[in-house]
Amino acid sequence: MHSRLGTESPRSSLQVHDADVEMVRSALSGDRAAIDRLVQRLACVPRILAAKNQRLGSQLTREDLLDLVQDVLALVWRKLPGYRGDAALESWIYPFCVLELLNAERRKRLCTRHFKGEPPDEPVAVDPPPREEGFARLYEGLARLSPPQASCIRLRCFQGAPFEEIAERLSIPISTAKTHYYRGMQRLRALLGPFLREVQ
Amino acid sequence: MSSMEREDPALESFLKAAAEEERATLDAARSLQDAPGIELVAGVVRRSFEEQRRRARRRVLLLSAAALVLALGLTARFLLFNRPGQSSTLGDEPVVLLAPVGASAAFSTFTWESTSAAAWFEVVVEDGSAAGVSVTRSGRLSSHTWSSDPQEVSSWPDRIRWEVRAFDASGALLGAASASAWRSP
């Protein structure tokens, strides 16, 4: 069962995501009720940022998070027309939150080092674990794939959907879904290659 | 299985780990009752929406202004170059008809301009109310003006359509232009 904060169940729930797409479209075209619903759903942004910040050792202060919330919301708003419903809205928003949070942490570390007079590339204890940087690279890599490739990989690896369901979801033949998936994985491997070996 | 379809356990397990981290974070986020900035969401979204609407309105206004300028330009061009009765020129070399065009006091003298290296011209006059009914024709003219016989003109219909054809020395048609004219009351 799909929850409101976008925990993806192993099998994607087609209807819920289509409803998300419809809500986003209506909101963008000015439907007041849809905008209200979207506001409620976008409350996931501060929650995801706060939760992720906690999981990464609370490097960012409350004030940092307040700034970040506004930046991420503006970014999400700009990207919303591209939401296709391959994942629940919250799961689609999650990568933006992670990437922006890691960027904010990076900026803060550089700032701290600058004021302490430390060389910028000297490792310090507060650097995020390489696994987190790897996940960020993974999301950046997924964003660089063609939309069908990224959708097939997300549906298969993040939601555990079999190729039959992916094909149905994307209205394409099963063989095409497989081609998109394997080509996407090949490209992702090339994009992540050396970094992937490092974090393993 | 083709070479492209080879499994990549390392990449797949990394993707799985990313998916688990995503699920865990989203679960943790869902359990938070409050979070810094939650009170900002409605304001930011509504501001973004209003800004988007303003931009769209500005775009519509700009497009409307551009369309209006284009329409005005086309109307001005029509009024300047397609006055009642005047037709566009034919051929590569333009012939511009000067008089009589539109409401005219007399049909006695026909004048035109030509930028072409035309060797000679011919004026053809037709009944303006009955297409294809010939009234008269001038014969070869070397100047840019032609005067018809005043007695003959008095028998012409009140509305005429006249055409000037430009020819080169070999007799090939270089271009032509036609216009309508009618006797002013």
Side-chain angles (χ1 to χ4, degrees), chain A residues 5 36 52 139 154 189, chain B residues 8 21-22 27 30 46:
Chain A
L5 202 63
D36 289 343
K52 193 73 188 172
Y139 287 118
R154 259 205 91 88
R189 201 179 301 129
Chain B
D8 185 337
E21 173 62 21
E22 183 177 312
D27 281 344
R30 193 182 46 200
R46 294 210 160 87

Side-chain angles (χ1 to χ4, degrees), chain B residues 56-137:
Chain B
R57 223 178 288 146
R58 266 201 301 269
R59 221 172 11 242
V60 169
L61 277 175
L62 276 174
L63 283 174
S64 308
L68 185 66
V69 167
L70 184 68
L72 284 174
L74 288 173
T75 307
R77 187 178 179 279
F78 177 80
L79 290 175
L80 281 172
F81 299 109
N82 284 326
R83 284 171 304 187
Q86 185 167 341
S87 73
S88 56
T89 54
L90 301 172
D92 294 332
E93 302 294 336
V95 176
V96 179
L97 306 185
L98 300 178
V101 172
S104 308
F107 293 158
S108 52
T109 305
F110 292 79
T111 54
W112 63 92
E113 276 180 358
S114 172
T115 55
S116 72
W120 55 278
F121 303 92
E122 183 184 36
V123 178
V124 177
V125 181
E126 290 182 352
D127 187 337
S129 309
V133 176
S134 176
V135 173
T136 188
R137 61 174 57 214

Side-chain angles (χ1 to χ4, degrees), chain A residues 3 5-8 27-28 30 32 35-36 39 42-43 46-48 50-52 55 62 65-66 69-70 73 77 90-91 94 131-132 134-135 138-139 153-154 157-158 179 181-183 185-186 189 192 196 199-200, chain B residues 1 3-50 52-53 55:
Chain A
S3 77
L5 202 63
T7 309
E8 298 283 331
L28 290 176
R32 293 278 164 194
I35 292 175
D36 289 343
V39 165
L42 290 181
R47 289 196 171 104
I48 293 172
K52 193 73 188 172
R55 290 173 74 81
R62 182 185 162 80
L65 286 174
L66 287 176
V69 164
Q70 300 189 55
L73 282 171
W77 183 264
E90 291 77 3
S91 295
Y94 174 81
R131 210 174 72 118
E132 283 302 327
F135 292 157
L138 175 65
Y139 287 118
I153 291 175
R154 259 205 91 88
C157 297
F158 282 65
T179 304
Y181 173 79
Y182 286 112
R183 285 215 174 122
M185 290 292 272
Q186 207 172 27
R189 201 179 301 129
L192 294 172
L196 196 58
V199 294
Q200 287 297 303
Chain B
M1 183 185 288
S3 63
M4 189 186 73
E5 292 183 17
R6 78 183 164 88
E7 300 294 331
D8 185 337
L11 181 55
E12 277 168 17
S13 74
F14 190 59
L15 277 158
K16 262 187 202 138
E20 276 164 23
E21 173 62 21
E22 183 177 312
R23 263 196 288 277
T25 307
L26 289 175
D27 281 344
R30 193 182 46 200
S31 67
L32 289 176
Q33 287 303 307
D34 193 21
I38 209 157
E39 68 285 357
L40 300 174
V41 177
V44 172
V45 170
R46 294 210 160 87
R47 255 199 323 276
S48 303
F49 177 72
E50 289 305 324
Q52 173 189 295
R53 221 166 50 168
R55 270 202 302 270

